[in-house]
Each structure stands twice: as structure tokens, then as C-alpha cells.
Amino acid sequence: MEYEAFSKDYLAENLKNLRIYCGFKTFEVADFLNLTSSAYGYYEIGRSIPPLAKLIKLALLYGVTVEDLVRNPNELMAHIERERKLADIKRELNLTEEQLFLFRCILDN
């Protein structure tokens, strides 16, 4: 697996995209992190980088990994959309976790 260098811009864009995608306001995420809105806003514009503890909380809030937070924004949003669609399929077809795993394997090949 190849790793790209850390991009503060990717992190900033992902934080903003995820917040909007989930329907949160800036002050709500800031409150969740026990920050002021302006301090959190600095994360979204790339002026500052959250400490690891805040990154972990953000990853939990958005249901992603910390690694996801720093990946290419286009890839992240495509991944989230795919997972949402798979969750819809699982619910509609009443699939078990094992069946969903097999379905993912088929899609990935």
C-alpha cells in the first residue's frame, strides 16, 4: 500500500465536507469538541491542525477512521457514498453482515 504525504489541505476540506454532509453547524461540532467556533473554524480552513485526541473524536462523530480524515477528499466522499448505498441495500434486502461482506467482495472484484 502506498502512502501519500500528510496534507493539511485534505484534512481541512474533509472536516468541512463531513460536517456539511452530516448536517452539522460549525458551532455544534465546536461544542462537541469543547472548542470555540473560531478555534474549530481554524481546523476547517487549514490554519491549525487538531491534536490527535480531537481527530479521534471527529472520526467517531463522522463514523470514519482518522486515516480517512487525511485522505484525498474526492476519495473519501466517494467511499462514504458507497458505504451509504451499501447500508441502504443491506436494509432493503435484509442482508446479514456475512452476506453484506460477500456483496462487498463481489463489488470490489
Side-chain angles (χ1 to χ4, degrees):
M1 172 183 259
E2 290 186 33
Y3 291 97
E4 292 182 26
F6 170 76
S7 171
K8 185 169 62 168
D9 294 335
Y10 281 3
L11 174 61
E13 188 173 341
N14 285 333
L15 291 177
K16 184 174 182 179
N17 290 344
L18 287 166
R19 178 181 55 77
I20 292 168
Y21 182 84
C22 292
F24 294 126
K25 303 287 185 203
T26 304
F27 75 89
E28 293 171 318
V29 179
D31 188 54
F32 174 75
L33 296 173
N34 201 23
L35 296 170
T36 64
S37 290
S38 61
Y40 175 73
Y42 287 162
Y43 297 162
E44 285 193 5
I45 62 172
R47 188 169 177 187
S48 62
I49 299 171
L52 182 57
K54 302 279 190 213
L55 286 173
I56 292 169
K57 285 186 80 169
L58 287 163
L60 289 170
L61 176 65
Y62 296 127
V64 298
T65 66
V66 172
E67 184 181 49
D68 285 336
L69 292 176
V70 296
R71 75 193 290 187
N72 180 296
N74 294 328
E75 291 175 10
L76 175 59
M77 295 314 290
H79 170 73
I80 288 171
E81 279 299 312
R82 179 178 184 259
E83 290 302 311
R84 185 189 59 78
K85 288 176 184 173
L86 285 172
D88 290 345
I89 290 168
K90 179 184 184 234
R91 188 176 45 258
E92 288 175 24
L93 299 178
N94 198 27
L95 299 176
T96 65
E97 286 299 319
E98 293 82 12
Q99 291 169 322
L100 183 62
F101 175 78
L102 292 173
F103 191 73
R104 275 192 177 108
C105 290
I106 292 168
L107 287 177
D108 290 341
N109 287 329

